[in-house]
Amino acid sequence: MTALHSSYGHQGPPPALFAALDLGTNNCRLLIGAPTRQGFRVVDSFSRIVRLGEGLAGSGELSDAAMDRTISALSACAERLHRRPVRGLAAVATEACRRAANGAAFLARAALETGLRPRIITPREEAELAMESCAPLLETEDRRAILFDIGGGSTEIAWIRTGPRPELIGYLSIPCGVVTLAEREGGDCFTLHGFEAVVEDIHARLVSFDRLHCIGQEIRRGGVRLIGTSGTVTTLAGVVMDLPKYRRQLVDGTRLCTEAADDALAELFAMGRSGMSAHPCIGPERADFVLPGCAVYAAIRRLWPVSSLTVADRGLREGMLMRLMRGDRSVWRN
């Protein structure tokens, strides 16, 4: 994928455009792309922290303030879509809308006010879309892959058999994301004892999945790739690379030695909330969520000691775009 741009340097009819919208527990994201022989070219994108799942763990419902913030973000997405001749649109909603008693009612309101109605998808479809978007990061020597996505409301784990067409062997969704953990643990993740308690809790939730699929045994055989797609792992990469400003094109697809990622985690822990708020790859809106996400990563790393971590700054939107484009064969005709 190439860098973001919104103009075309060629004559002739404009290319067919496709759009994907991902409404998560913490973020609302839109991606518009045009097909290329290598995949697609990004034409426009939008991302806003909406905290849709704020307070959901305690109340079981989406709050009025969270819904209002999200409607505002969806309206901004709708405006961008109206400015472009989009051939196909896929829009999904994930854990917050799955869990909330008023999730369906909120999406009905969103449809009335913005014209957009994301479809609530299952954890399995989440895992499949993430696998689709990250498949280009797999290499010929890989036999298996562990793909994890630390979201706002949940963490998805995909166990993948590689090959010309990667296959989802198994998946696991646990109701522990950066928002839910930050609300549940408060500031405990900023203490060594509290952080370790979260790591142990997540580790315990993963053990049965590990045993079911004999993942530890496969790791000992070799050829298992560990891929992370979330703000947590891209932040770790930004710290390892000492980026003065976060740049997706430098981070996406990079392969970190897990020891370097561990050092970056320790550095983030030492920064504390104020240091992370000032960090160019984090900022004040994300500072409370980084260590909860790092605790999930640390549990994954402890259970599955793969020597390197492949960092993916891609996810559901990219997977949805590829599905849309593959399903519309007319865009590939000359």
Side-chain angles (χ1 to χ4, degrees):
M1 298 176 208
T2 60
L4 170 66
H5 59 88
S6 57
S7 60
Y8 305 103
H10 58 79
Q11 300 297 319
L17 300 181
F18 296 82
L21 187 148
D22 172 17
L23 178 58
T25 301
N26 201 40
N27 294 275
C28 176
R29 299 184 178 99
L30 174 72
L31 192 64
I32 301 175
T36 68
R37 294 188 183 279
Q38 294 73 37
F40 65 86
R41 174 166 53 99
V42 175
V43 173
D44 197 2
S45 68
F46 171 88
S47 180
R48 182 182 296 175
I49 294 175
V50 295
R51 305 191 311 279
L52 178 60
E54 185 177 54
L56 173 61
S59 68
E61 293 190 340
L62 305 175
S63 71
D64 290 339
M67 290 189 288
D68 288 344
R69 288 192 299 265
T70 306
I71 290 292
S72 175
L74 288 172
S75 295
C77 291
E79 290 175 7
R80 287 174 181 260
L81 290 166
H82 289 153
R83 292 199 296 264
R84 299 188 181 278
V86 173
R87 182 192 292 261
L89 167 67
V92 302
T94 57
E95 184 69 7
C97 290
R98 278 199 298 261
R99 291 180 58 194
N102 59 343
F106 165 69
L107 294 178
R109 172 191 166 191
L112 287 173
E113 296 187 23
T114 71
L116 299 173
R117 185 166 187 168
R119 173 177 60 90
I120 298 175
I121 60 172
T122 65
R124 180 183 179 89
E125 188 170 354
E126 272 197 76
E128 289 171 341
L129 287 168
M131 178 181 71
E132 190 144 1
S133 69
C134 293
L137 301 178
L138 297 171
E139 297 182 3
T140 53
E141 65 268 23
D142 298 329
R143 295 186 308 105
R144 301 283 188 274
I146 305 163
L147 171 61
F148 65 92
D149 181 1
I150 306 169
S154 64
T155 293
E156 319 300 327
I157 310 285
W159 178 232
I160 299 166
R161 179 182 293 113
T162 64
R165 294 182 64 86
E167 177 188 354
L168 183 65
I169 304 172
Y171 72 96
L172 175 69
S173 178
I174 59 174
C176 301
V178 298
V179 174
T180 51
L181 288 172
E183 291 185 354
R184 189 184 80 189
E185 304 300 328
D188 286 353
C189 278
F190 289 85
T191 70
L192 286 171
H193 181 269
F195 185 88
E196 180 61 24
V198 175
V199 174
E200 290 180 357
D201 174 49
I202 302 300
H203 184 277
R205 294 171 184 264
L206 301 177
V207 167
S208 60
F209 184 74
D210 171 72
R211 290 173 179 164
L212 175 65
H213 295 287
C214 303
I215 297 175
Q217 180 179 332
E218 292 287 354
I219 290 172
R220 288 188 290 274
R221 288 182 59 195
V224 176
R225 180 178 293 270
L226 181 66
I227 305 176
T229 170
S230 68
T232 297
V233 294
T234 58
T235 297
L236 288 171
V239 173
V240 170
M241 300 167 76
D242 196 23
L243 297 179
K245 181 180 179 181
Y246 184 80
R247 296 178 63 189
R248 178 191 181 277
Q249 61 268 36
L250 296 180
V251 170
D252 182 48
T254 194
R255 195 167 182 174
L256 303 179
C257 166
T258 46
E259 290 182 356
D262 291 346
D263 290 342
L265 193 161
E267 186 177 340
L268 288 167
F269 195 89
M271 286 181 196
R273 184 180 285 103
S274 60
M276 286 188 283
S277 295
H279 195 280
C281 294
I282 303 173
E285 283 192 309
R286 295 183 56 238
D288 286 334
F289 303 133
V290 171
L291 288 182
C294 285
V296 178
Y297 166 71
I300 291 169
R301 163 94 165 94
R302 181 176 298 178
L303 183 60
W304 297 314
V306 180
S307 62
S308 66
L309 168 65
T310 299
V311 178
D313 189 345
R314 57 181 76 188
L316 303 190
R317 296 178 304 168
E318 289 82 0
M320 286 188 282
L321 280 184
M322 292 307 298
R323 281 188 177 182
L324 283 172
M325 293 173 185
R326 192 168 57 245
D328 190 338
R329 297 185 180 279
S330 65
V331 303
W332 308 109
R333 295 171 188 160
N334 293 326

